[in-house]
Amino acid sequence: MDIEQKQAELIDHFVNQASVQKGSALGSVIVEATSHPSLFAFSEILAVSTVAELEGTENSVYLEVLQLFAHGTWSDYKSNSVSLPQLVPDQVLKLKQLTVLTLAETKKVLPYDQLMLELDVTNVRELEDFLINECMYVGIVRGKLDQLRRCFEVQFAAGRDLRPGQLGSMIQTLSKWLGTSDNLLISIQEKIKWADMMSELDKKHQKEVEDRVEDVKKSLSLKKSLELKAATS
């Protein structure tokens, strides 16, 4: 089963779980969802009405935790740890994995020093083990570890949930990409048309050469025939 299909099934599961719970009972659902080793998207759970209703209540901390995992990073948690519940080890791991995805959204070359700072990792060996075992092996990123340059070259990274207000900029980016793609397609079509035209001209020229060769052959054959006839007269 590929990661997208697994994600979809898990999202459906936790959406259904959240839909039938209210108040503090949602806490265990949210902890389970944010601890699950194969779930990395949470916007659908955030959109569940019972979850949204937590805002402004005595249980709003559960909503804040879910928002953290949807859009935040390990650094965000450390900055707000006083007002948030202590994370269980599986949540800590998940949030650090999500932090790598956030960094990979803006940079395709991630310096080891930046990664170690963002992930609270103390040495290169620990960092590389984390990137290999907890990120690449899991399938959320692909890339190359460059020990000489002390960086991680990102080749692929799974996308995170869109942050509030991010949809507009993404639509704008996709629109620009679509425009560029259309222009590129037009350019390719023009080159194909030019190549077809040149091919037709080449075929026409080749036909003309072949016709000339044939005319020369006929002329030589006729001349040879006349010479033989004159010689025998």
Side-chain angles (χ1 to χ4, degrees):
M1 182 183 300
D2 59 33
I3 189 170
E4 289 83 5
Q5 183 180 351
K6 182 68 173 177
Q7 287 277 299
E9 292 183 359
L10 287 170
I11 288 169
D12 286 343
H13 168 75
F14 285 112
V15 164
N16 291 334
Q17 290 288 312
S19 299
V20 297
Q21 302 292 343
K22 285 190 174 183
S24 60
L26 282 166
S28 59
V29 177
I30 291 172
V31 170
E32 184 182 356
T34 54
S35 301
H36 198 285
S38 299
L39 184 61
F40 296 91
F42 306 94
S43 59
E44 287 88 347
I45 306 173
L46 276 170
V48 175
S49 59
T50 54
V51 174
E53 289 168 1
L54 292 174
E55 187 170 6
T57 70
E58 60 182 3
N59 297 304
S60 61
V61 66
Y62 299 130
L63 175 61
E64 293 172 13
V65 168
L66 192 57
Q67 290 171 333
L68 172 70
F69 278 81
H71 311 124
T73 64
W74 177 242
S75 293
D76 293 329
Y77 172 72
K78 289 191 299 179
S79 299
N80 298 280
S81 59
V82 175
S83 60
L84 293 173
Q86 184 174 355
L87 301 182
V88 301
D90 286 342
Q91 286 178 304
V92 172
L93 171 60
K94 172 63 60 63
L95 193 53
K96 289 186 176 183
Q97 290 171 316
L98 293 169
T99 299
V100 172
L101 295 184
T102 293
L103 294 172
E105 285 180 351
T106 55
K107 287 184 178 181
K108 295 308 175 186
V109 178
L110 303 176
Y112 278 2
D113 289 341
Q114 180 185 9
L115 286 167
M116 286 191 289
L117 179 64
E118 294 287 344
L119 301 173
D120 272 343
V121 174
T122 57
N123 60 73
V124 170
R125 176 62 181 274
E126 185 182 354
L127 172 64
E128 291 184 334
D129 285 347
F130 177 81
L131 292 172
I132 293 171
N133 298 323
E134 308 298 347
C135 296
M136 288 192 280
Y137 183 76
V138 173
I140 58 174
V141 295
R142 290 195 300 270
K144 177 184 176 183
L145 301 173
D146 191 330
Q147 294 180 333
L148 185 62
R149 295 170 57 207
R150 289 175 57 86
C151 66
F152 176 53
E153 298 178 5
V154 180
Q155 298 168 347
F156 160 82
R160 292 196 65 179
D161 295 302
L162 292 178
R163 299 175 184 84
Q166 193 178 16
L167 182 59
S169 62
M170 177 165 286
I171 291 174
Q172 185 178 13
T173 299
L174 290 174
S175 297
K176 289 181 180 178
W177 176 83
L178 182 60
T180 302
S181 299
D182 287 341
N183 292 334
L184 180 60
L185 180 59
I186 292 172
S187 177
I188 291 173
Q189 290 173 336
E190 289 177 348
K191 289 181 179 179
I192 291 174
K193 184 177 180 181
W194 178 83
D196 289 342
M197 182 183 69
M198 294 304 295
S199 177
E200 288 300 319
L201 289 174
D202 184 62
K203 289 178 181 178
K204 183 178 179 181
H205 177 69
Q206 184 177 354
K207 182 67 168 55
E208 290 175 351
V209 171
E210 290 174 351
D211 289 344
R212 290 177 185 175
V213 169
E214 191 63 29
D215 289 341
V216 171
K217 286 182 178 179
K218 290 179 180 179
S219 177
L220 291 174
S221 178
L222 178 60
K223 182 179 179 181
K224 186 176 181 180
S225 177
L226 291 174
E227 289 175 349
L228 288 173
K229 185 175 181 182
T232 55
S233 302

